[in-house]
Amino acid sequence: MINLEDYPLFKSDIERKVTSVHPVLVMHTNPKIYLSQNEEIININGDNVKFDSLNLNIPSIKESIDLNTRNLKINTVNITLSNHQKFSDVFYNQNFYNKYVDIYWKSPSCKSLSDCLFIYKGVVRRFDHNKEKVTIILEDLTENA
């Protein structure tokens, strides 16, 4: 369960009448890749890190339980990006399969990654692309538990 008290800036932002949040993600590759819906600088452990905007889209993240077997179902998250910077070439050159990806929700007051609401950790399982877009399919860590 997420405790919003651990994220006071995020909490105060979403309690306002108008709420603006967007996803940011960190791909644990070497070197790490930082993506956001908006091109922005976010502080990580005292360093200002540029998050690139590639029209990042994460439609939904949800968990479910199979009531018959009482097991958590493996959750997949589809991430789509613009391929205008040849991101697909970077993917093939670095081999992102089985790399961890962290997803956060960022609100306007969040200046560091620790201010952002951590919502998902998964591993890259599949990758698809065409000339216009890249789709990355993540699986949650249910099988690893």
Side-chain angles (χ1 to χ4, degrees), residues 13-14 16 31 51 54 58 65 91 121 124 128 137:
D13 282 347
I14 64 171
R16 296 191 171 122
F51 280 67
L54 296 176
I58 303 172
I65 297 175
F91 193 95
K121 184 176 198 85
V124 177
D128 189 25
I137 293 97

Side-chain angles (χ1 to χ4, degrees), residues 22-25 33-42 49-57 79-87 132:
H22 64 272
V24 296
L25 67 84
I33 295 175
Y34 303 96
L35 300 173
S36 174
Q37 269 187 340
N38 308 318
E39 188 168 308
E40 59 192 328
I41 304 294
I42 300 175
V49 177
K50 181 182 178 202
F51 280 67
D52 292 320
S53 172
L54 296 176
N55 294 325
L56 175 66
N57 184 16
I79 299 170
T80 57
L81 319 163
S82 169
N83 198 18
H84 76 275
Q85 291 182 358
K86 301 281 190 227
F87 186 80
E132 289 83 35

Side-chain angles (χ1 to χ4, degrees), residues 61-74:
I61 298 174
K62 55 187 168 186
E63 273 187 19
S64 62
I65 297 175
D66 184 336
L67 295 175
N68 293 328
T69 63
R70 296 185 181 162
N71 290 327
L72 283 172
K73 292 181 182 179
I74 295 173

